[in-house]
Amino acid sequence: MHEADTRTDRPAPAGHIVVIGGGIAGLAAAHRLLAEGLRVTLLEAGPRLGGKLRSGELAGLRVDLGAESVLARRPEALELARAVGLGDALQPPATSTARLWTRGVLRPMPTGHVMGVPGDLGPLAASGVLSAEGLARAGAEEGPAPIEADEDVAVGEYVAARLGHEVVDRLVEPLLGGVYAGNAYRISMRAAVPQLFEAARTHASLGEGVRDLQRRAASAPSGPVFSGIDGGIGRLPLAVADACRAAGARILLDTPARELTRTATGWRVVADTPAGAEAIEADGVVLAVPAGPAARLLDGSAPVAAAELRGIEYASMALVTMALRRSELPAAVARGGPSGFLVPPVDGRTIKASTFSSNKWAWAGTDPDIFLLRTSVGRHGDEGDLGRSDEELVEVSLADLGAAVGLAPATRPIASTVTRWDGGLPQYHVGHLAKVTRIRAAVAALPGLAVCGALYDGVGIPACIASAGKAADVVIATSGTGGVPLAPTTDQHTGQ
């Protein structure tokens, strides 16, 4: 046995941090804090960890029931996956040939755009996505002057003024909606598509700015844009949780934090555990929860932040995941077909997108007889269909799939499941970054407290992990735990 296995004189952790929220941001914050030698207690209000990352099983096959991929051109998610033993399981999509179901036909997704804003009209014209009038309007770019550095505008409003509403309605809306489940005419360009904001700010022509972005992207290191995990992205939070437990973290499920108060030496969190109320003393706290719970916990200590948080809106949506018989699908879909399709809301369909999981991910396409796919229903301001039963959502999804790809009317799934994400995605409306700045400024006045998660720095998984790292660093720097031993904290659970 190595000497390191028998030592008993290791220094005790320098401090105790409570992380509230067990989504990927909270777990990533806990992982980072543990790596710095701190003691961590993580509280999750629900019965499981992972937040919007969730995997399951359908017809005996693994499926993602939430987020299904990470942006591979940002390092944070890939680095975390490797750190918790999932490096060998990382996989790029087997195909990225998505389509647009618009104007009654499945059409190729045009190339040469940034979040639907075209830099090259050739592929757009060839796709047939726009009418002749819409294409002519896009080619005759006109509209408002370049954006000022301190200005904020809605993506849809600005692009429509420059290139016409068809570009927004049939390209920008489905692409942006696929990320935020939101309305492009309200989403902040500065917050949601910062590279497009810079292009609009620094170029007289929006098309010229997009072409400049594409030239720079072409000179960047090559590699897949997205990555998944063999068996599903839902494996990531579970692996991070296992690594945290192995490092000594205490993780409590079904344990909502009820109160958060500042003390003379740090913080006190009162949590409702399954065994009853428990007061936990901590040197610092990371809040990794959505705006509503964060506002409630900050009401007493940071009322300005709480008020700002209450102004953040969320979108609800549902994912309908189905296992179908390959033999009942058109060959163009079932055998090496596209990765799926997006649906512009202007077309009036119920589903907003469909992912052909068995085509998109090699690990999901191994069964020769079963084909996995999913549809999404609902977006911000268009959530009426979410009142339907699970059975109705399966039926309307099948009807739309029939119209889109030629699925026979009698086709029924071998198995299906509906995952509802109520209030699942924060909306980055115009002014969002200024709101986040005010929230963080109010929280920064309280040493040992930080916030992180999808509502602050981006809704993607890498952005959430980066946000968690930033929060962990703030707590370490301001709670006195940055390598300076503090007076021992009291864990009310163990009495030590």
Side-chain angles (χ1 to χ4, degrees):
M1 186 175 287
H2 295 293
E3 180 185 18
D5 294 328
T6 59
R7 285 182 56 189
T8 59
D9 59 346
R10 296 176 186 150
H16 178 212
I17 308 299
V18 171
V19 176
I20 302 176
I24 191 60
L27 289 164
H31 188 266
R32 174 69 164 269
L33 293 162
L34 289 159
E36 296 297 324
L38 299 171
R39 186 159 58 94
V40 173
T41 298
L42 185 145
L43 309 177
E44 165 54 42
R48 65 172 192 88
L49 297 169
K52 307 307 178 293
L53 280 64
R54 180 179 181 181
S55 61
E57 192 172 286
L58 197 65
L61 303 175
R62 298 297 298 171
V63 293
D64 267 319
L65 302 174
E68 59 162 2
S69 65
V70 301
L71 184 64
R73 292 184 176 173
R74 284 193 64 159
E76 297 89 352
L78 302 186
E79 288 175 353
L80 182 59
R82 294 184 182 109
V84 298
L86 293 177
D88 291 341
L90 292 168
Q91 287 188 6
T95 180
S96 56
T97 55
R99 300 283 189 264
L100 273 172
W101 184 28
T102 187
R103 300 174 64 214
V105 177
L106 271 183
R107 303 176 185 275
M109 179 71 71
T111 58
H113 67 85
V114 171
M115 197 54 78
V117 179
D120 183 352
L121 294 183
L124 181 57
S127 71
V129 168
L130 301 192
S131 67
E133 294 78 10
L135 195 63
R137 175 64 181 88
E141 182 177 344
E142 58 184 29
I147 301 170
E148 297 295 329
D150 59 351
E151 192 177 357
D152 197 6
V153 294
V155 180
E157 294 290 352
Y158 187 84
V159 175
R162 282 277 189 161
L163 304 175
H165 282 278
E166 275 200 54
V167 169
V168 177
D169 294 344
R170 301 199 184 275
L171 277 167
V172 177
E173 277 272 47
L175 285 160
L176 201 59
V179 178
Y180 291 93
N183 184 331
Y185 289 96
R186 295 190 63 191
I187 292 176
S188 159
M189 184 188 293
R190 189 175 185 181
V193 201
Q195 71 273 34
L196 190 63
F197 177 83
E198 284 303 308
R201 191 177 70 81
T202 56
H203 294 77
S205 160
L206 191 53
E208 178 188 336
V210 169
R211 290 189 291 275
D212 185 42
L213 287 173
Q214 291 170 329
R215 284 191 293 270
R216 282 187 274 165
S219 64
S222 60
V225 177
F226 296 99
S227 179
I229 292 176
D230 188 350
I233 284 291
R235 292 180 61 192
L236 179 60
L238 303 183
V240 177
D242 287 344
C244 288
R245 290 189 184 100
R250 179 185 177 215
I251 297 178
L252 301 178
L253 300 179
D254 293 312
T255 303
R258 188 207 316 160
E259 296 176 16
L260 175 64
T261 54
R262 186 91 173 108
T263 68
T265 58
W267 292 88
R268 178 179 293 111
V269 179
V270 177
D272 292 323
T273 77
E278 178 180 336
I280 305 171
E281 304 291 333
D283 300 299
V285 173
V286 173
L287 270 180
V289 293
R296 178 176 52 78
L297 289 169
L298 291 173
D299 259 336
S301 55
V304 172
E308 293 285 0
L309 285 161
R310 287 196 172 89
I312 293 175
E313 299 178 38
Y314 279 74
S316 296
M317 61 176 297
L319 291 176
V320 182
T321 307
M322 293 180 274
L324 302 176
R325 295 173 181 84
R326 284 185 187 266
S327 60
E328 295 184 352
L329 289 165
V333 171
R335 306 292 175 185
S339 60
F341 59 86
L342 299 172
V343 187
V346 71
D347 281 297
R349 307 292 182 174
T350 299
I351 67 174
K352 301 302 183 284
S354 181
T355 300
F356 301 156
S357 305
S358 288
N359 287 342
K360 187 171 183 178
W361 303 109
W363 59 266
T366 56
D367 192 295
D369 301 316
I370 297 177
F371 190 90
L372 297 173
L373 61 77
R374 67 185 197 175
T375 65
S376 63
V377 178
R379 68 169 189 150
H380 187 263
D382 184 13
E383 298 172 349
D385 286 313
L386 299 181
R388 297 173 182 252
S389 68
D390 289 0
E391 293 76 13
E392 289 176 312
L393 289 180
V394 170
E395 289 300 317
V396 296
S397 292
L398 287 168
D400 275 355
L401 286 166
V405 304
L407 201 64
T411 302
R412 288 296 175 271
I414 300 167
S416 64
T417 188
V418 176
T419 313
R420 296 175 184 269
W421 297 109
D422 296 325
L425 285 168
Q427 297 300 290
Y428 283 25
H429 289 158
V430 173
H432 183 77
L433 291 183
K435 183 181 292 290
V436 168
T437 296
R438 293 191 294 269
I439 293 168
R440 282 210 164 112
V443 171
L446 302 167
L449 180 66
V451 293
C452 64
L455 71 91
Y456 300 101
D457 303 303
V459 299
I461 296 170
C464 289
I465 294 169
S467 178
K470 182 189 299 184
D473 289 345
V474 167
V475 167
I476 291 169
T478 63
S479 65
T481 60
V484 181
L486 301 177
T489 55
T490 300
D491 187 324
Q492 298 294 326
H493 180 70
T494 64
Q496 298 177 353

